[in-house]
Amino acid sequence: MLTTDFQLFGAICIVLGLIFYTNGLQHRYCQWFYKIMPVMVACYFLPSLLNTFGVIAVPHSQLPELVGQYLMPSCLCLLLLGLDVRTIFSRGGKLLLLFFIGSAGIFVGGPFALKLVAMFKPELLLDSGENSLWRGMTTLAGNWVGGTANQLAVKQLYHVGDSIFAVFVTVNVLISGIWMALLLALAPHQQRLNQWLGCREALMSVAAPEQQPQAMADLPKLMLLISIPLMLTGLGNALATEIAIWFSQLFPAAKAYQFDSPFMWKMILITTGSVMLSLSPARRLAIYGADKLGAVCLYLMLAIMGLKMDIRMLLSLPWFFVIGAIWLLIHIVILVVATRCLRLPFSYLAIASQCNLGGAASAPVVASAYNKALMPLAVLIAVFGYAWANFIAWASGQWMQTIH
C-alpha cells in the first residue's frame, strides 16, 4: 500500500502519463475509450480506483493542501494571463451581453432546480455535512460559468466533500456534453432559427480579433511563466488572512457570507491580480504557452482530488442528473427569451451558452460551426468566465444553502 505523499504523487504522475500517452495513440480501443470517458474525466476518475481497491491510503495526505495553496491559484493566473479585456468590451458587444445573461440563468437556475426536485424528493435537502447537495451544486455553478479550475476553487471555498464533488463532475460531463452535441446538430438549421428569433441580418457579422500565434518559450520566458503565478499566489496568501481577520472584526455578520474565510479573499486577490496582469506588459507572456502550463496544473489538481473520491456516491446519479437537466433548461429558456427580445442570431445564443458551459476549450468548436470569424472572440469571452465564475458560484451557494 502506498502511504507517503512522495509515493502518492508518483502514482498520480504514472496515471496521468498513461492517460495522455494512450490518448495520443491511434489504436481503435484507445479512441473508443476516450470517447466514452473524456481525458479530463479520466484524470479525475482513474486515480480514484487506486483508493477504491486499497492500493493507496490518503487520510493524512497533504497533497490537497498543495492544490489549494499552489496549483489552483497558479492555474487561474496562467489561464487569465492572456485575457484581452479591452477587445472583449470594445468588440464583444451583444455577444458579451448574452454571456452575462447566460451566467444569470445559471445563477438562478440552480436554486430553482434544487427547490423543484426537492418537492418530489425532500430528503435531498437533508444536511449531509460536507457532502450536502447544495455544496456540490455550487461547484457545478463554478464550472458552468467558468471552467474546471473554478469548480475546484469553489470546492475549497465551500469545503465540498469529495463524494458529492465526484457526482457533479459526472453531471457536468453528461449534461454539457449533450448540450454541446445538440448545438452542433442545430448549426445547419441556423437560418430557420434566425427567422424564428426575428434576427436582423446586419447583426450576423462582427469584427473579431485576430488570434495571437503561439511561440516557443526560451528559459527566461519559462522562468517568468512559473515565477509570476507563484509570486501572485504568495502575495495573496500573505494578505488574505489579515484581510479576513480585519473584515470579520469590522463586519461581524461577514461569517455568514464566507467573508471571514482567508481562502475567499485569496481567490479575490488572485483573480483581481491576474486580470490586472493581463492589462500589463506581462500579458505578452501568454503566447509562450501560459494556457498549456495552466492545463498542466489543472490536470494535476484533478488527479489529486480524485484520490479521495467515493465511487459509491454515483449510485445516486439519476436524481442529480435531473437537477442538472432542469438547471440547463432554465439557462436555455432565459437565453432564448433574451435572444428573441434583442433580435440576435442563433449563433450568438449558441456561442454565449457554450462560453458558459463549455469554457475556452469547446467554445471555439461551437463558434466554428456557426461563424468562424467569431472563434477568437469566443475564446476571449470564455477566458473572461474564469474571472467571473467564482463570484457567481459564491452568490449561488449563498442562495442555495437557504433553501429548505
Side-chain angles (χ1 to χ4, degrees):
M1 181 179 289
L2 307 180
T3 56
T4 69
D5 282 342
F6 291 107
Q7 294 170 334
L8 293 176
F9 194 77
I12 285 171
C13 291
I14 291 172
V15 172
L16 290 177
L18 288 173
I19 289 172
F20 281 92
Y21 173 73
T22 53
N23 182 55
L25 297 177
Q26 299 301 315
H27 196 281
R28 59 173 180 162
Y29 291 115
C30 291
Q31 293 179 340
W32 171 80
F33 177 79
Y34 288 110
K35 282 183 180 178
I36 296 175
M37 181 176 286
V39 170
M40 189 169 287
V41 179
C43 290
Y44 185 79
F45 279 96
L46 294 186
S48 71
L49 298 179
L50 300 176
N51 188 33
T52 302
F53 293 107
V55 178
I56 61 174
V58 294
H60 306 295
S61 174
Q62 297 301 308
L63 289 180
E65 287 294 312
L66 173 67
V67 170
Q69 298 296 330
Y70 295 101
L71 289 179
M72 187 186 307
S74 298
C75 179
L76 282 174
C77 179
L78 289 164
L79 292 175
L80 285 170
L81 194 60
L83 178 64
D84 191 345
V85 176
R86 297 184 186 92
T87 299
I88 291 175
F89 284 98
S90 64
R91 300 186 182 184
K94 293 182 179 178
L95 182 59
L96 181 62
L97 175 61
L98 273 189
F99 169 80
F100 284 132
I101 293 172
S103 298
I106 291 169
F107 169 66
V108 302
F112 274 93
L114 178 60
K115 188 69 174 177
L116 183 61
V117 173
M119 292 179 182
F120 301 95
K121 199 170 176 63
E123 58 268 29
L124 289 176
L125 293 178
L126 294 176
D127 185 10
S128 302
E130 64 178 14
N131 285 306
S132 296
L133 176 57
W134 72 267
R135 294 183 189 272
M137 291 179 68
T138 60
T139 69
L140 186 58
N143 193 311
W144 276 3
V145 178
T148 307
N150 300 99
Q151 187 173 18
L152 290 164
V154 177
K155 180 183 187 297
Q156 296 287 327
L157 174 63
Y158 278 114
H159 308 290
V160 181
D162 295 288
S163 298
I164 193 69
F165 178 74
V167 168
F168 280 99
V169 167
T170 307
V171 170
N172 169 59
V173 172
L174 291 174
I175 297 291
S176 61
I178 291 172
W179 177 231
M180 181 177 173
L182 182 59
L183 288 175
L184 292 174
L186 290 173
H189 309 287
Q190 58 178 311
Q191 187 172 356
R192 279 189 289 176
L193 291 168
N194 288 339
Q195 292 174 353
W196 178 73
L197 290 169
C199 160
R200 291 173 291 188
E201 291 297 322
L203 291 171
M204 290 297 292
S205 61
V206 66
E210 294 183 1
Q211 286 180 300
Q212 288 185 313
Q214 291 285 305
M216 183 68 70
D218 54 16
L219 183 58
K221 300 294 190 306
L222 282 174
M223 288 302 298
L224 285 172
L225 283 173
I226 293 173
S227 60
I228 287 177
L230 291 176
M231 175 196 69
L232 188 61
T233 299
L235 185 62
N237 274 318
L239 297 175
T241 302
E242 297 299 323
I243 294 176
I245 293 172
W246 172 81
F247 202 88
S248 60
Q249 290 175 346
L250 193 62
F251 302 102
K255 186 175 182 180
Y257 302 98
Q258 302 288 325
F259 281 110
D260 67 330
S261 167
F263 186 82
M264 173 76 166
W265 285 106
K266 182 171 71 173
M267 296 313 299
I268 292 174
L269 291 170
I270 290 172
T271 301
T272 305
S274 300
V275 174
M276 292 176 66
L277 281 173
S278 74
L279 296 170
S280 74
R283 181 177 173 272
R284 299 170 191 162
L285 291 170
I287 67 172
Y288 296 104
D291 58 336
K292 292 182 176 63
L293 195 56
V296 171
C297 296
L298 177 61
Y299 289 119
L300 281 171
M301 284 193 290
L302 284 171
I304 291 171
M305 303 310 291
L307 288 177
K308 299 178 72 176
M309 187 186 78
D310 184 358
I311 295 180
R312 291 172 297 181
M313 200 63 183
L314 297 179
L315 296 175
S316 303
L317 187 60
W319 275 108
F320 298 128
F321 182 83
V322 171
I323 289 175
I326 296 171
W327 197 345
L328 174 63
L329 183 61
I330 294 171
H331 163 79
I332 294 170
V333 169
I334 290 175
L335 268 181
V336 168
V337 171
T339 306
R340 190 177 176 92
C341 290
L342 295 171
R343 296 179 177 273
L344 295 174
F346 185 79
S347 59
Y348 279 41
L349 182 153
I351 296 169
S353 179
Q354 196 60 29
C355 284
N356 274 298
L357 271 72
S362 57
V365 176
V366 172
S368 67
Y370 285 89
N371 188 342
K372 287 184 171 60
L374 292 174
M375 288 174 60
L377 194 56
V379 173
L380 288 176
I381 293 176
V383 170
F384 179 77
Y386 294 134
W388 173 247
N390 291 338
F391 303 104
I392 293 292
W394 166 81
S396 184
Q398 293 298 312
W399 187 356
M400 284 189 285
Q401 65 181 305
T402 63
I403 296 175
H404 301 289

